[in-house]
Each structure stands twice: as structure tokens, then as C-alpha cells.
Amino acid sequence: MAVNLAEPEGLMPVPGVRLAAIRTGIKDAPRDDLALALFDEGTVIAGVYTQSAFAAPPVALAKERLTPRAWIVNSGNANAATGQPGRADAIAVCDAVARELGLQGDDIQPFSTGVIGERLDVSRICAAIPALVKDLSPDQWLGYGKAILTTDTVTKAVSKRVSVDGTDIILTGVAKGSGMIKPNMATMLGYIACNASVAPDVLEQMVQEVADGSFNRITVDGDTSTNDCFMLAATGKSEMAAITSVTDERYVILQQAVLEVAQTLAQAIVRDGEGATKFVTITVAGGHHAQECLEVAYTVAESPLVKTALFAGDANWGRFCMAIGRARVAKLAPNRVSLWLDKVQVASGGLMADDYTEDAGASVLAQDEFRGMIDLGRGDATETVWTTDLSYEYVRINAEYRS
Amino acid sequence: MAVNLAEPEGLMPVPGVRLAAIRTGIKDAPRDDLALALFDEGTVIAGVYTQSAFAAPPVALAKERLTPRAWIVNSGNANAATGQPGRADAIAVCDAVARELGLQGDDIQPFSTGVIGERLDVSRICAAIPALVKDLSPDQWLGYGKAILTTDTVTKAVSKRVSVDGTDIILTGVAKGSGMIKPNMATMLGYIACNASVAPDVLEQMVQEVADGSFNRITVDGDTSTNDCFMLAATGKSEMAAITSVTDERYVILQQAVLEVAQTLAQAIVRDGEGATKFVTITVAGGHHAQECLEVAYTVAESPLVKTALFAGDANWGRFCMAIGRARVAKLAPNRVSLWLDKVQVASGGLMADDYTEDAGASVLAQDEFRGMIDLGRGDATETVWTTDLSYEYVRINAEYRS
């Protein structure tokens, strides 16, 4: 069902990173469900975490651990809405990993995705950790990427090579997410590592900026998980001198490369969105500022009426109107608003464009990928989000999962 | 498909109001599509109108006309996204009605619902107006209610009799709306008239308060139309002295009666919601203030994941968690949040309740009507909204309408 998304190929090891995956059996499916990434000493790691008030215990713990050396991720159980016992479980798993690696518990960041409201089977996980650690190897990115999946239908991973001031830098990333996850949550996890050398505060800014241009610009159903995380690691295992300032021109080069990897992963999540039959880019231009462009873009991208029209291939200016009109934007002037679907102008100055024909609109929406471009006609800001249509299959997946 | 909703019976004429309906043919279906309500001199009218930035020309016009004597409503064409020509069309229709009634154009409020972005067929409408006016009669509420429908499957109308300080007051109301309307818009129209005597500024406050307790508390898909209006008329055709202050104790009695009529109509819209198989009441208690209760209630009621779980009869605490967690509420403490489905406590203090069983939850959700009660555990405010589940049928109606 995924829209133009193939299994990843050609993943490259990142110097300073070793990975492993194993099956513990906490997930019913006969697939790996526990993944570990170990970083060489000196690696700098930064992350962004769910804004949910119901952030799961492992997320809270990962956020507190500012100088981690490893990520341990289980799928099959989100360890969410589990309170203090859930926190103790996450700590126990980290402690077991740390013992096996000769590190401290605080060196380990835990991540979980899957069923909510159920206790983690800590003993089953801990029993698998020695074998997991023994399997660590630089070329296990694909295995790591597979073990974190839940209802995803395709593994999401990509590598990229970039020259930063003459030094070859390798970036490899994996992600999971598919709208809503087994059985109840819309968890999105993203992990990118590179062998660049970056100061901690600089990496912190980079991960925020990259998230805002990638994982924070996608929506399948407008629902946000308790367990979302996006992590970025820089191992420093290269010849380059450290980037210690965001004004360093190498910052821009590396940030752009990380952004490209993150966008590919984020878009892969949308392409694999539950029930998705279309991959849709919504761009809102001509806003006073980014915030109002995003407000309009998300209102359109999350409107059930727009999404069902996209599913039906119906180039429906009325539904766009309705969604733009209800976005929380002050003093929007409808008579300055225009809409394009790819290169076809549907509306101009708030009215159906004179030369627009339903056939022209329908031919754009017959494609499995296209862009809706809304011009608010009142400023210079532009923002883009990526989304899917709303299909029968979305309802089936989310209504029938347990049956 | 409507949930526990029958065709209305026993509608009562309201002294001072005459109505008529007719078929002009602007709607393809062989049904009446033009409705008129005429009020005796001295009638006071107040309304609330869509917040959409894309408010349709007739809505803007209705809003400007502060001392109206009649409502003219067409279905089949929303006269929305039609700009200045659309405004001229609405004025032309009002002028034609006024000529026939011996009134001024400014005395007529126009309303439209149906296709967006197409010019109104003014000549066809005007040709029907003489016969429409000739048909005016006090007992045509049902005809008026039928003529304003679009994709609705059931007529929404109700009457109520209340004694205000010894005077018998009759209230009759009609409404239309079904999530999204032919073919593209989610228009909701509501009209209530009574023979009470109320000063204009007092009626203005009453219509706002009633809307906030009824039509502003329903959501089928979170989408808001360009044409939504709710109008309240008080003809003064009774023995009671005018209510000239909101502190008059008769204000409370009348307001409560109007609210009951409005709630019945608003809930009828939800019961007839597109694809609805359940009628769900979401109450959020224990908030600091009404606004945060509403924010949580709407986030839950509009979450596609919650709605598909309700459709499936899955009492899914995880999905409620997720939706509550992403509501825009500052510093919500998950460990104070509890959830009930009717009398079954699902969660307590942010965790699944100890004695909760899936069977107990499933038995509540097997009903076609139930209440979800969320306690935020941090204050005294409570708010309630009404909504539906999200079914295959919703997708079918909205995806296939044009096919």
C-alpha cells in the first residue's frame, strides 16, 4: 500500500557506530523486536521528544540523559501510561544493557513503541541483552531499522555521503511510523548518525532545525504519539575539526545533508501512512510569517473533507476553501487567496480561476504524488508539510486492528 | 444510517410566523429547495454566523441586516466563493422577495447551502417567489425544514411549549446539517422562533449563549462551513411583557427552553452525521476553565484514532491518552487524569483502572449512544460536546459523492 516506497538498499556503516537487533518475543510477530546502537566514546548526541502531556516513561528518561553512549529500542510495547512502575522498568532495561557494555545506566537512552498501558516484560528483554551485545557490528543498520517497526509495511532507512570541507562524512538514518502503531499509538521514531565532529550545543540546535524541516512537517492523521523521538548522533570519527559554532559555514553543509536524510525518512513515514494511496505535498506561501503558513497547511492537510477528496481524486476548491477559512489565522482576506495543484491554477483571488477545468484538476489528482500550493497573498513566508489522503483502508486498519 | 433519529412530528405554529417552501429546480433532486419565513412587524431577530474567513456572500449580507422581517433560504447552491457577483445575486433574491411582500430589500436575510463556487441561478429563484409568497402559512414548519436539507437523511425539527410567568410560549425550530453537504461543504443552518417578547440586546445575548451550549458544541469531522448560521426570532405575539434585561428571572426560563430546542436540533445534526453509527457525548470535567475543557473535548472528539476506535467498539484508553496528551493545554498532569465510559471507570490517575476489564468497556461501546467522561483533576470547570464515530461510510460519502 506504501506510495512509491521500496525496501532500502546500500546502507553505509557510520564510523563509530555499532548496532544489533534480536527477537525477544515481546511482540507476537516472529520478527526482531529489540535494537541496540552503541557509540564510540566522544560521540555527541542530541534529540527532540514528543510534546505530549502523556509522554511515556522511557521518553522522559531519554530526555534526562544528556551524554548517552547507546540507544536501546523495543517494539511491541510502548511502556506508556505505565507511571512510576513503567519508569522503573525502563531503568532496569538500561541498567542491564549498561552492565553488559561496561557502562553506567545513565549512559543508555531507552525508547519503546507498541501497545500502551501494559507493563514491559523486563525479564524477557534482559534475557536477550547478552546475545544482543555480542552481535554488535557496524553493518547492522538494516537490522536495527527492521526491529523498531510495528505496523509499518516497509523499512525506512537511507544513507548519504557528503564532503564537508574536504572530509568525507557518512550519514545513515532509520525511522519508523505509519500513522498509528500496534495497536493504539502513532509513534514515530527517527535515528540518524554521522561521523562528523560537532560540539554539543551546536548539535542541539541542528537537531531542532532539522526536525522542524522534516519530522515536524508530516501528518497522517493529526494525531501525536506519547513516544515520538528523533535522535541525532555525531561520532567525530573523521578527520574534520569540530564544528563549534552555527555560523561556521560547514554547519550549513552538514545541516543540509542531515536535513535531506531526515526528510527522506519523514516522507517515507507518510508514504507508508496507514491506508495512504497518495503522497501529497502542501505548500502555503504568501503568509505574514511561518506560523500562519503552518497553521493553514496543517488545517488543510488534516481536514477529513480535503483528505477524502484527495482519495477520490476530486480537485475540490470548495473543500480547500473551507479548510483555509477555518484555520486559526487572523484577518485572512479570501479575495487574495489562490490555489494551484502542481501547475494547474484552480483558484485566483478567492474565486475559481477563469481558465480552470475539472479535467485539468482531475488529471493532477490522478497521480499518486502531487503538490497543493496555496498562496495567501499577504507576505513572504512559505512553509511545506507532507501528508496522505484518507481512505477506507485507514478506517479498516484503525477500526479492525484488534479484531 | 441516522442514530436514533425519527422524522419530526407535532410541530406547532408560532404566532407571528408564516412559512412556505417550493421547488425551483436549482437542486437536481425532485424536492423543494427554496424556503421563506415571514415575521409579523415587531419581531426581534438575532443570529450567530460562521467564523470562517471564507464566509459566503449571503452570510455577510444576513449579518449586516439588523432588523429583518423575513428569511429566504435556498439549498442546492451555497453561493460561496463567488465574490462580488455572488453578493449581487443574494441582493437580487432579497429584493425580489421584498417586492412581493411589500417590504424593503434590507428587511430580508438570505441564506444558502449547497455547491460552492458556482453562481446562483437568480432568475430561476425569482420566478418561484410569487408562488412561494402566496403559499405562506403558519403551519409550514415541516415544509420549511425539508426545503433547507441537502445530504441530510432526516428532517430536523422540534417544538416545545413553556410557561413564562404564566404566559404560554411556543418555540419551534428547524435545522439542517450532516457533516458535509452537497457536494462539498459542511453547512449547518439552525432557525428557532418563539412568540415571546424580548428586547433586541437581550435576544442578542440569548442567541450567543444558546449557540455556545448547542450548535457550538457539536463536531462531526472538525470541519466548519462558509455558510453556517443560527437564527433566533421572538415575535412578541403573546401576553407577556417584554424581557428587557438578562437579570429578569424570566430570561433564564426562556433561555433554558430555547437551549433545549437548540440542543435537540444540534444533536439531531450529529445523529444524522455522515456515516455515523454512534452518538457520543464527550464530557471533560475538572479543568481550570471552560476553554481547556473544550480544547480537550474537541481534540478527543475529532481525533481520527479515537473515532475509528469508537466505530470499532474498542474502549481504547491508549487512544484517549494520546488525544488528551496532544490537546493544547499547558502543564496537564497525566497522573491526575481519569476516564469513564458511562459508569465504567477505564483509567484512574493516568493509569488503566485496577478493576477495569476490556469486557466492561466493550459492553458500553456496543451501545449506539454513550458518554466518555474525562476528569482532568485540576479544577471545577466542565464542558460537553457531542460527536460521532468515523466509519467506512464517512469515507464513502465524502470520497464518492461526485462519482
Side-chain angles (χ1 to χ4, degrees), chain A residues 225-289:
Chain A
S225 148
T226 52
N227 291 53
D228 290 346
C229 293
F230 165 45
M231 308 300 301
L232 176 59
T235 64
K237 297 294 168 195
S238 71
E239 300 302 309
M240 68 181 278
I243 299 173
T244 56
S245 160
V246 296
T247 60
D248 188 327
E249 61 188 25
R250 297 174 305 158
Y251 176 88
V252 179
I253 295 166
L254 183 63
Q255 197 247 37
Q256 183 59 36
V258 177
L259 181 63
E260 282 174 28
V261 170
Q263 284 186 344
T264 301
L265 295 172
Q267 292 175 10
I269 290 174
V270 175
R271 289 176 189 283
D272 199 16
E274 289 175 329
T277 74
K278 319 244 181 210
F279 176 81
V280 185
T281 302
I282 301 285
T283 296
V284 176
H288 282 323
H289 44 70

Side-chain angles (χ1 to χ4, degrees), chain B residues 76-98:
Chain B
N77 184 321
N79 192 8
T82 46
Q84 280 302 325
R87 184 177 167 91
D89 291 343
I91 290 173
V93 169
C94 290
D95 287 350
V97 172

Side-chain angles (χ1 to χ4, degrees), chain A residues 53 81 116 184 222-224 303 305 308 312 314 316 318-319 322 325-326 334 351 358 392 394 396 398-400 402, chain B residues 53 81 116 180 184 222-224 303 305 308 312 314 316 318-319 322 325-326 334 351 392 394 396 398-400 402:
Chain A
I116 193 172
N184 304 325
D223 279 331
T224 306
S303 159
L305 295 182
T308 46
D314 176 10
N316 197 314
R319 295 195 192 176
M322 176 280 305
R326 79 174 166 91
L351 302 175
E358 290 216 2
Y392 298 113
Y394 178 87
R396 191 193 64 75
N398 288 301
E400 296 187 359
R402 286 186 163 183
Chain B
I116 193 174
M180 187 210 59
N184 303 324
D223 279 332
T224 306
S303 159
L305 295 182
T308 46
D314 176 10
N316 197 315
R319 296 194 192 178
M322 176 281 304
R326 79 173 166 91
L351 302 175
Y392 298 113
Y394 178 88
R396 192 193 63 76
N398 288 301
E400 296 187 358
R402 285 187 164 185

